Amino acid sequence: MSNKQIALDVAQFLDAPAARRLGIARDDLKRLANAFVAACYEGLGKAPWLIDGEDVRVLMTNQVPARLRANDPLAERGPAAIEALLEHLAGNHVVTQAFEIRNALEASAEAFRDSVRSGRYASLAAAKVDPFVHGAS
């Protein structure tokens, strides 16, 4: 997915009432939302409104923590910010797995915090794979 689509999705969320209610600084919220949306598109190959409960578990336990710094102070606010982002998406798209997503988000919140604190997935973000196979020599 293009960086433009990720930026557009994040910008729409940042302007939404669900984002303003959080009381998180805009730059911090932008960083969290960008990590989640980019992980959906790039890590899972899905638009954020097409994920399911299992996708949320994967996102929260390794994909999103890999996009944050070890011991990032945003870890504590991450689950609430992602919940608000998902609430925003449900208001603008058909989210067929909303119940499963909510349950998975709640169940994986502490694992998310632990993963960010430990930084055990931080090396994944640096190891982006180029999906294009170069044929030139």
Side-chain angles (χ1 to χ4, degrees):
M1 181 54 52
S2 77
N3 288 337
K4 289 180 183 179
Q5 184 62 51
I6 294 168
L8 179 62
D9 289 351
V10 170
Q12 288 173 343
F13 168 62
L14 293 174
D15 291 336
R20 290 192 296 270
R21 282 194 301 265
L22 290 170
I24 298 174
R26 186 174 174 92
D27 288 343
D28 291 342
L29 189 56
K30 180 179 181 180
R31 199 157 54 90
L32 282 168
N34 193 66
F36 184 83
V37 173
C40 288
Y41 283 123
E42 296 169 357
L44 298 178
K46 295 181 178 180
W49 55 89
L50 298 176
I51 62 174
D52 60 24
E54 180 58 24
D55 293 333
V56 170
R57 188 194 63 72
V58 170
L59 288 164
M60 295 298 286
T61 58
N62 61 39
Q63 292 284 325
V64 177
R67 295 167 187 274
L68 300 174
R69 298 183 310 267
N71 286 318
D72 196 316
L74 293 178
E76 295 305 315
R77 305 293 302 273
I82 292 168
E83 182 178 13
L85 172 60
L86 292 168
E87 175 188 328
H88 163 73
L89 292 171
N92 293 302
H93 301 278
V94 175
V95 180
T96 60
Q97 302 293 320
F99 179 77
E100 289 81 7
I101 290 170
R102 252 190 313 279
N103 288 341
L105 184 60
E106 185 177 314
S108 61
E110 194 54 40
F112 170 80
R113 291 182 191 101
D114 290 342
S115 293
V116 174
R117 281 186 211 121
S118 71
R120 68 177 156 253
Y121 295 108
S123 63
L124 292 178
K128 273 194 162 181
V129 176
D130 183 4
F132 181 78
V133 177
H134 302 278
S137 50

